[in-house]
Amino acid sequence: MTTQRTVSLLGSTGSIGTQACQIARNNPERFRIVALSSGGRDLELVARQAVEFDVELVGIASGDAARLETLIADAASGAGKQVVSRVVSGDDASVQILVTRTVAELGGIDILVNSAATPWSAGKPTDFAATTDDVVRREIEIKVLGYLRTARAVAPHLIEQGWGRVINISSINGQKGQAGQANYSAAKAGDLGFTKALAQEGARNQITVNAIAPGIVETPLFSTFPEEAQEKLRRAAAEQERQIAAAADAAKKRGLEGKYVIALLN
């Protein structure tokens, strides 16, 4: 018999967060999203997600919580959803409130997906010489400390039930770095280190902690980049795919698979 697991997802309105929601919706016997949180820049999208994915508790970092409640209530089957305003991964108290309410009112949390993020140093200079401490702090605040706070909030509940999953969305640039993205790459490398350390701590309680490190993904944000930058990134992605295919082929010839492919790439 398949056990249905409850999911709390932070960073729901980005392309990766939306895909995570859709995976849960397409596998209702396995997953139920009980809580999601978004930056709140697009309240209409948050409302549609709350209804489409049948989410019971919705948090936003900014925006008009009352308006979001109205949008949800006006949508089909929207009645009964609850809105928690000011859920900011940079504010430990608000994260604790969202987690506490989810556990107390909605039956707990089995799986935490950390997907909250901003584009790398959005709107800031990419030249390393122009990098400021404030830009770096902002990257780390969202992509490292934000993930840490949410995982820390759910950890006692996962330990108590003796089972849990934490999934952190990182980036391939945290593994290999990227010219012009020192701030972003440093933060993403940080959440990879945090993930590895927490995985070792969680193992004794049947809690796994993993990171997903996507490469180039053509999202609505990607389409806003200059055409020259898009083409450069497409070429880089094609080269990555070529390397992966070559490594997989080499591993197959040696009778190796899985993690050994990564070793060959490195």
Side-chain angles (χ1 to χ4, degrees):
M1 181 178 177
T2 302
T3 300
Q4 186 188 60
R5 300 295 185 180
T6 58
V7 181
S8 177
L9 189 150
L10 282 84
S12 65
T13 52
S15 296
I16 294 176
T18 298
Q19 286 297 316
C21 289
Q22 291 173 344
I23 290 171
R25 181 195 60 183
N26 294 337
N27 297 272
E29 74 286 354
R30 297 182 62 193
F31 306 113
R32 178 170 66 98
I33 301 178
V34 293
L36 63 78
S37 177
S38 167
R41 288 184 295 274
D42 188 342
L43 295 182
E44 287 79 5
L45 176 56
V46 177
R48 288 197 302 273
Q49 286 186 328
V51 174
E52 179 181 359
F53 303 125
D54 196 26
V55 179
E56 297 172 63
L57 188 63
V58 182
I60 54 172
S62 62
D64 187 340
R67 179 166 178 264
L68 178 58
E69 288 180 330
T70 299
L71 289 169
I72 293 174
D74 288 344
S77 304
K81 312 300 180 187
Q82 304 173 65
V83 176
V84 180
S85 63
R86 295 298 301 164
V87 176
V88 187
S89 62
D91 175 23
D92 189 62
S94 69
V95 170
Q96 292 286 347
I97 289 172
L98 179 67
V99 170
T100 299
R101 288 191 57 179
T102 302
V103 171
E105 301 172 21
L106 304 175
I109 297 174
D110 295 318
I111 303 171
L112 169 68
V113 180
N114 272 319
S115 184
T118 60
W120 57 82
S121 306
K124 306 298 182 182
T126 57
D127 179 58
F128 182 68
T131 299
T132 67
D133 288 358
D134 286 342
V135 170
V136 177
R137 288 191 188 98
R138 175 65 174 166
E139 292 288 321
I140 293 175
E141 179 65 48
I142 295 173
K143 300 180 176 76
V144 181
L145 293 177
Y147 284 18
L148 185 150
R149 291 186 187 99
T150 53
R152 186 172 58 202
V154 304
H157 308 287
L158 302 183
I159 291 171
E160 183 178 358
Q161 65 195 23
W163 194 95
R165 300 289 183 263
V166 177
I167 302 169
N168 296 323
I169 305 301
S170 185
S171 167
I172 193 171
N173 291 340
Q175 296 175 308
K176 67 177 186 60
Q178 177 63 45
Q181 297 179 23
N183 310 322
Y184 180 84
S185 298
K188 286 302 185 179
D191 65 46
L192 287 175
F194 156 66
T195 298
K196 293 174 183 178
L198 191 58
Q200 295 178 41
E201 292 191 33
R204 67 176 69 95
N205 293 297
Q206 302 300 309
I207 300 168
T208 65
V209 186
N210 290 282
I212 298 174
I216 305 302
V217 180
E218 291 208 32
T219 64
L221 173 66
F222 182 87
S223 66
T224 67
F225 295 173
E227 187 59 39
E228 181 180 351
Q230 291 186 39
E231 186 55 36
K232 182 179 179 180
L233 290 170
R234 288 192 183 97
R235 288 197 300 269
E239 176 60 19
Q240 289 171 6
E241 290 177 1
R242 186 196 66 77
Q243 292 177 7
I244 291 171
D249 184 60
K252 184 177 180 180
K253 289 178 180 177
R254 299 186 199 180
L256 306 174
E257 56 183 282
K259 63 183 179 181
Y260 297 104
V261 174
I262 303 301
L264 288 169
L265 278 171
N266 292 335

